[in-house]
Each structure stands twice: as structure tokens, then as C-alpha cells.
């Protein structure tokens, strides 16, 4: 849909992205609480009678609930989703001139891709690494569902902050810098392997701060990508953005690095994302 349709939103696009990611985080909060309840009050993990190599109950219950939710969502999406229709009088841009071959990469698009790779790659390393990091420092596995819900509450709060930030590129640099500091603090404690209340509180506060920045980031980057990437090329460009992102995550996880080192490496990438955001402003 062309700029005429985007303009019909009345300048509320930042608010719309903020609301979208806040709602996403709220659903995640409910999911984390449900998962914790299933593990705490559901039946214990035990093999199935008819399939001895399969088990049900305990920590497997949240995965079963996630599979059921995914199936339900698939059915609802197929039944209820309809193609987006432009307002009366709006025109589309999918003409011969709007083909993928008709545009060229620009420096802002490339810088945006660097930010996406560095930040979202670090976020996925965090997602897969926070449990072993917290378990090491606490000396025991944490209540994963409750901890995850607290992180998502911070992300929801961060998403509400984004609309009041008037300079997206500058705000993005700030978000990346704070995120880098949060992961660096966590990495320091994780590699020191100090089991104590003080380090545990510092790590939880750092990870919560990182998650709040995740909420701000997604609300900001959605608007930046919409402004920088041509409408007719977004699927292609966004797909290209995912290639180095996924390669980084696979490299960190496949190398066998301890989570603390993975967090430290991600902290360095986030500082690189902050520099790219400053260049993006120019």
C-alpha cells in the first residue's frame, strides 16, 4: 500500500507499534504464569504407557500447552485473517516499477540491518542463555515461568516508553548502549560464578533492564524499518536481515561458549549497534 494509505493513520504509527509490542508482552506474561502453574500443580513427569520413549507431565506440560496454542492460532488465522484493504481512493504500488529489481540498497538500510543483526542476535542469545546464567549464580534452577513473566512485564513497560521518544535513531543508540551495559554486567557475574544474594540481585536487575530495552527497541525499529525499506521490497529485505542474525546465534550456540562469554560477546555487538544507530541518524 502506498504512502497515501500510511498517511491515513494520522501519524499514529509509533503509537500503533508500541501498542502491538505491549500487547505481545502481556500475552507472554500470561503464558509464563500459566507455564509456571502447569509445572507446579500439574502431574509429575512420567513415561506414557503406550509410548515408553515419550513422557508427559512436569516441565513437558508447558510445551504441550504451547503446541495446543499454536494449533488453535493456526485455525483462527486461517478462519479470520483477511487481506488488508486500502481505504477508498488509495492505490497500490506493485507495478513493474515497484518490482524488487527496481530499487537499490541504501546506506541507511544497511545500517538498519546491522542494528537488527546485533540487537536481535544478542536477544536470542539472552533468551537461550539466561536460565543457565541465573542457575549458576543462584546455585539452583530459578522458577522459570515467574522469572520469564517478570522479564515480559519489563518489556511491556519499555514498549510504552517508545512513543514519547521523538528522535528514533538517537533513542535507538541509547537503547543499544543500555542493553550492552546490562549484558556486560551479567556476563561479569556469570564468569565469576559467585553464588550470593548480592550478585543474584544485580544480575536480575540487569536482565530486567535489558528486557525493558527490548520492549523499547521493537517499537522503535518497526517504525524505522517501515520508513527506510520500500514497501514492495520489505519481505525480501527483512529476510536478508535474518541471515546474519541467525548465523550469529548459531555460531554462539554451536561453539559451546559458556553463557557468560556469549553475553559478553553480545554486549560488544550491542555497542556496535549503538554506533550504527548514531551513523543512521546522520
Amino acid at each position: 500500500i502506498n504512502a497515501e494509505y500510511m498517511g491515513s493513520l494520522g501519524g499514529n504509527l509509533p503509537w500503533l507499534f508500541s501498542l502491538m509490542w505491549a500487547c505481545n508482552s502481556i500475552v507472554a506474561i500470561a503464558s509464563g504464569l500459566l507455564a509456571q502453574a502447569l509445572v507446579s500443580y500439574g502431574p509429575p513427569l512420567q513415561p506414557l504407557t503406550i509410548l515408553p520413549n515419550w513422557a508427559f507431565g512436569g516441565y513437558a506440560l508447558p510445551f504441550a500447552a504451547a503446541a495446543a496454542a499454536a494449533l488453535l492460532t493456526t485455525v483462527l488465522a486461517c478462519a479470520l485473517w483477511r487481506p488488508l484493504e486500502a481505504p477508498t481512493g488509495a492505490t497500490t504500488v506493485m507495478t513493474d516499477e515497484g518490482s524488487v529489481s527496481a530499487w537499490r540498497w541504501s546506506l541507511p538500510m544497511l545500517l538498519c540491518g546491522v542494528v537488527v543483526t546485533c540487537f536481535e542476535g544478542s536477544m536470542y542469545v539472552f533468551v537461550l542463555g539466561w536460565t543457565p546464567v541465573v542457575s549458576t549464580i543462584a546455585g539452583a534452577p530459578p522458577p522459570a515461568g515467574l522469572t520469564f513473566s517478570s522479564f515480559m512485564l519489563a518489556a511491556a513497560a519499555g514498549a510504552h516508553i517508545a512513543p514519547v521518544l521523538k528522535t528514533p535513531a538517537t533513542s535507538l543508540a541509547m537503547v543499544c548502549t543500555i542493553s550492552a551495559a546490562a549484558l556486560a554486567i551479567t556476563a561479569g557475574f556469570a564468569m565469576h560464578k559467585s553464588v550470593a544474594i548480592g550478585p543474584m540481585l544485580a544480575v536480575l536487575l540487569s536482565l530486567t533492564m535489558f528486557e525493558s530495552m527490548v520492549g523499547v527497541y521493537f517499537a522503535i525499529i518497526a517504525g524505522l524499518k517501515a520508513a527506510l525499506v520500500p514497501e514492495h521490497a520489505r519481505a525480501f529485505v527483512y529476510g536478508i536481515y535474518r541471515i546474519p542474525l541467525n548465523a550469529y546465534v548459531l555460531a554462539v550456540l554451536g561453539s559451546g561458549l559458556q553463557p557468560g562469554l556469549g553475553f559478553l560477546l553480545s554486549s560488544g555487538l550491542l555497542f556496535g549497534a549503538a554506533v550504527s544507530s548514531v551513523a543512521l541518524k546522520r
Side-chain angles (χ1 to χ4, degrees):
I1 308 300
N2 68 0
E4 183 181 350
Y5 173 60
M6 297 297 292
S8 69
L9 293 174
N12 288 327
L13 203 56
W15 174 86
L16 183 64
F17 287 136
S18 171
L19 179 62
M20 178 182 70
W21 286 108
C23 291
N24 179 76
S25 299
I26 291 171
V27 172
I29 292 169
S31 300
L33 294 175
L34 175 61
Q36 187 67 55
L38 289 173
V39 173
S40 300
Y41 303 110
L45 185 68
Q46 53 190 348
L48 296 176
T49 303
I50 57 176
L51 296 171
N53 293 328
W54 291 64
F56 186 78
Y59 61 79
L61 284 175
F63 293 96
L71 180 61
L72 176 61
T73 302
T74 301
V75 173
L76 291 176
C78 292
L80 301 178
W81 274 11
R82 297 290 182 269
L84 183 65
E85 296 182 1
T88 303
T91 58
T92 62
V93 295
M94 293 305 296
T95 63
D96 291 340
E97 292 76 14
S99 63
V100 172
S101 61
W103 61 274
R104 296 290 183 270
W105 286 94
S106 65
L107 180 59
M109 288 170 60
L110 292 172
L111 290 173
C112 185
V114 171
V115 173
V116 168
T117 295
C118 294
F119 193 98
E120 297 183 26
S122 300
M123 181 195 69
Y124 287 121
V125 170
F126 158 83
V127 167
L128 297 170
W130 74 264
T131 304
V133 165
V134 174
S135 299
T136 298
I137 298 173
L146 292 178
T147 309
F148 173 79
S149 294
S150 68
F151 289 160
M152 291 301 100
L153 180 61
H160 280 92
I161 296 173
V164 303
L165 303 175
K166 301 303 182 182
T167 53
T170 301
S171 301
L172 195 57
M174 176 195 69
V175 166
C176 293
T177 302
I178 295 174
S179 300
L183 288 191
I185 292 171
T186 303
F189 284 114
M191 290 187 290
H192 188 262
K193 296 183 179 179
S194 174
V195 180
I197 295 297
M200 186 71 259
L201 290 177
V203 166
L204 287 177
L205 287 174
S206 296
L207 294 180
T208 302
M209 177 58 70
F210 176 80
E211 272 297 329
S212 67
M213 293 299 100
V214 169
V216 181
Y217 164 81
F218 275 112
I220 292 177
I221 201 68
L224 274 177
K225 289 193 293 187
L228 295 175
V229 181
E231 168 72 22
H232 48 276
R234 282 180 189 157
F236 175 78
V237 173
Y238 292 0
I240 294 296
Y241 285 171
R242 308 299 295 186
I243 295 175
L245 188 162
N246 292 331
Y248 168 69
V249 176
L250 289 174
V252 171
L253 298 179
S255 64
L257 286 176
Q258 60 170 296
L261 286 175
F263 278 26
L264 187 62
L265 181 60
S266 296
S267 176
L269 279 187
L270 286 167
F271 277 118
V275 173
S276 297
S277 300
V278 172
L280 188 61
K281 178 184 177 182
R282 298 177 181 176

